Amino acid sequence: MDNTLLEELQQKYLLGIANDVEIQQLMDWYYSFDDEMVNVKTANIHEEKEVYDRLRQKIEDIIQRNPRKKDKVFDIRRNGYWQVAVVLVVLFSGYWFLKNHTPENKNQLQTSTASDIQPGQEGAILTLANGKKIFLDSAQNGNIAIQGTGIVIKNGTQVIYTPGNSEKNTPLAYNTIVTPKGRDFEVVLPDSSKVWLNAASSIRFPTVFNDKPRVVEITGEAYFEVSHQLDKKGNRVPFVVHTNKMTIQVLGTHFNVNAYDDEQYTRTTLLEGSVAASKIGSNELVKIIPGQQAFISNLGSGNVSVKQADVNKAIAWKNGLFQFDDDQLQAILRQVSRWYNVDIDCAEQKKDLRFNGIISKRSNVKAILDLLSATGVVNFKMENGKLIAY
């Protein structure tokens, strides 16, 4: 389909003036999904290609996937009819149309207070070995601390630890970096490993790594790119991540750990390399390969299990996106609460509603809630500074 015609049909539909023939044309385009490039307005060309490629794959997956028999899943389209921004294929231009052209919708969140809730940004609190706190949001670029023989440097949206030398018989000193709700941040550890912290997360680590296993502790969610390190004998030094429920042993790899206490599972998703996961206090290791996920219940006393993973979904947060695949509304709202630093209550009868979609984390919270409410199955309102889903 010609892009000019496609955009015209999108506008007509979003304005509510598309006739049955034009709606059918949109449906035919959706199910054929032509190879032509769709008009996806994003911040830069690299993001545009990434969003386009991933959304196309998601559409193909949704079409091929059998619907759940037990629970109804509300997509961006409902019962075959387009509900929100043409299934978000025109994700950002769709937001523009919704904001400027869509008629009043009784299900949309009609409050200026919600419009004022802005997305999160880069920021964190660094606690040094002596207990001193440095607020990285406002700290100036450059050297911000000396820890042992190493220097701590702030460089824009990341903090970098230069490698120091550990002295014999000297206990390790530890630093902690915490991202509150509404913040995320990148850390370069003393061994040059990189860690991205999602909102409401933390990492505790030694300021110097020696020949012993490199051990860090996290809460919340973090994405790791672990560097290789050799000891004096030429052997690889393991990298170990502790959460409340799981231990992950690494030699050098890329992986994501989701360990929020309010989620049902702690999950480790592997993108590159190899890791082994175990239950806290257990020596029984479960190895996973790229594309797999090790998980353990946060609620019971089960063991670590393994399944195939959607790695794009696992690291969507790091790439500036919310990605929902058959996700319960209560799980979606937990993500929204962390990123937008807003308290949310969800009516009991709405918690298990399921949704599919990919949404930019740069949108204000009202845009996201309007997209959810446009499905017609859930509404939102503000009461005393708290969001209510009903």
Side-chain angles (χ1 to χ4, degrees):
M1 182 183 297
D2 178 77
N3 275 343
T4 301
L5 175 59
L6 178 59
E7 291 181 5
E8 179 182 344
L9 292 176
Q10 291 170 23
Q11 289 190 50
K12 284 187 175 181
Y13 179 79
L14 291 168
L15 288 168
I17 59 174
N19 59 36
D20 291 343
V21 173
E22 290 167 331
I23 292 174
Q24 187 59 50
Q25 285 181 285
L26 279 174
M27 291 300 299
D28 291 342
W29 170 82
Y30 172 69
Y31 284 108
S32 65
F33 205 72
D34 298 338
D35 288 334
E36 61 204 352
M37 183 62 72
V38 185
N39 181 22
V40 182
K41 292 181 175 64
T42 55
N44 57 67
I45 191 169
H46 300 292
E47 182 181 355
E48 179 177 313
K49 184 179 187 304
E50 178 185 352
V51 172
Y52 173 83
D53 290 343
R54 290 180 60 191
L55 286 173
R56 174 174 179 168
Q57 184 60 53
K58 287 304 305 172
I59 287 174
E60 292 173 350
D61 290 345
I62 291 169
I63 291 173
Q64 294 172 8
R65 184 166 55 205
N66 291 325
R68 293 172 60 95
K69 295 181 180 179
K70 189 174 181 180
D71 300 310
K72 186 169 183 178
V73 181
F74 294 93
D75 211 326
I76 313 147
R77 52 188 170 82
R78 184 184 179 206
N79 297 331
Y81 294 98
W82 298 65
Q83 291 292 320
V84 182
V86 193
V87 197
L88 290 187
V89 172
V90 285
L91 182 64
F92 297 96
S93 57
Y95 283 148
W96 189 86
F97 287 130
L98 280 173
K99 180 179 178 182
N100 295 283
H101 295 289
T102 306
E104 289 291 323
N105 184 328
K106 66 179 181 179
N107 291 323
Q108 288 186 342
L109 190 64
Q110 301 297 329
T111 168
S112 59
T113 305
S115 300
D116 293 338
I117 300 176
Q118 296 302 311
Q121 60 188 33
E122 291 81 7
I125 303 169
L126 164 63
T127 302
L128 302 176
N130 63 2
K132 178 183 177 181
K133 296 184 184 296
I134 298 176
F135 293 86
L136 298 175
D137 303 50
S138 55
Q140 296 295 316
N141 286 338
N143 297 350
I144 58 175
I146 296 176
Q147 294 291 274
T149 58
I151 299 174
V152 185
I153 304 169
K154 183 190 175 187
N155 180 27
T157 59
Q158 66 177 195
V159 63
I160 303 169
Y161 281 73
T162 63
N165 299 317
S166 60
E167 299 178 0
K168 292 183 178 180
N169 302 321
T170 300
L172 291 176
Y174 285 83
N175 282 187
T176 301
I177 295 179
V178 176
T179 50
K181 284 186 174 182
R183 296 290 186 270
D184 59 13
F185 213 71
E186 179 185 350
V187 186
V188 181
L189 298 176
D191 64 344
S192 297
S193 294
K194 295 181 179 180
V195 186
W196 286 260
L197 291 176
N198 202 351
S201 303
S202 71
I203 183 169
R204 180 177 183 266
F205 55 93
T207 58
V208 174
F209 287 127
N210 49 35
D211 285 352
K212 296 180 180 179
R214 300 166 284 171
V215 181
V216 304
E217 303 169 13
I218 74 155
T219 64
E221 185 166 24
Y223 175 77
F224 290 83
E225 292 184 356
V226 177
S227 64
H228 294 288
Q229 180 173 316
L230 302 178
D231 62 20
K232 295 177 181 178
K233 296 181 180 180
N235 299 316
R236 287 186 177 181
V237 179
F239 190 100
V240 180
V241 180
H242 289 308
T243 75
N244 288 337
K245 298 290 291 187
M246 183 185 291
T247 296
I248 304 103
Q249 298 186 20
V250 186
L251 290 177
T253 188
H254 296 184
F255 62 100
N256 190 80
V257 181
N258 184 313
Y260 289 110
D261 288 337
D262 59 354
E263 296 295 341
Q264 186 176 358
Y265 297 99
T266 291
R267 307 174 188 270
T268 298
T269 306
L270 183 62
L271 282 76
E272 296 180 14
S274 176
V275 304
S278 63
K279 179 182 176 181
I280 288 292
S282 171
N283 294 323
E284 183 178 345
L285 298 175
V286 177
K287 293 183 178 180
I288 60 174
I289 60 176
Q292 290 184 334
Q293 183 179 91
F295 63 98
I296 187 170
S297 173
N298 286 335
L299 305 176
S301 57
N303 294 317
V304 175
S305 301
V306 178
K307 67 176 183 179
Q308 290 300 120
D310 183 342
V311 295
N312 284 329
K313 179 181 179 180
I315 64 169
W317 68 270
K318 176 180 171 290
N319 295 328
L321 298 170
F322 292 109
Q323 181 169 331
F324 311 129
D325 298 298
D326 194 19
D327 287 352
Q328 292 179 326
L329 179 62
Q330 58 184 332
I332 293 172
L333 295 181
R334 284 195 294 269
Q335 293 185 53
V336 171
S337 174
R338 294 183 199 117
W339 184 237
Y340 292 92
N341 190 20
V342 58
D343 292 332
I344 304 176
D345 280 345
C346 184
E348 195 66 33
Q349 68 272 23
K350 301 293 184 179
K351 289 181 177 180
D352 293 333
L353 292 173
R354 294 178 180 271
F355 295 83
N356 292 317
I358 298 177
I359 306 171
S360 171
K361 290 174 66 177
R362 286 193 295 272
S363 303
N364 66 36
V365 74
K366 184 177 184 298
I368 293 179
L369 300 179
D370 282 350
L371 291 174
L372 291 170
S373 64
T375 60
V377 297
V378 64
N379 300 316
F380 297 91
K381 62 182 178 180
M382 292 288 296
E383 288 186 357
N384 300 321
K386 180 180 290 188
L387 272 172
I388 309 295
Y390 64 99

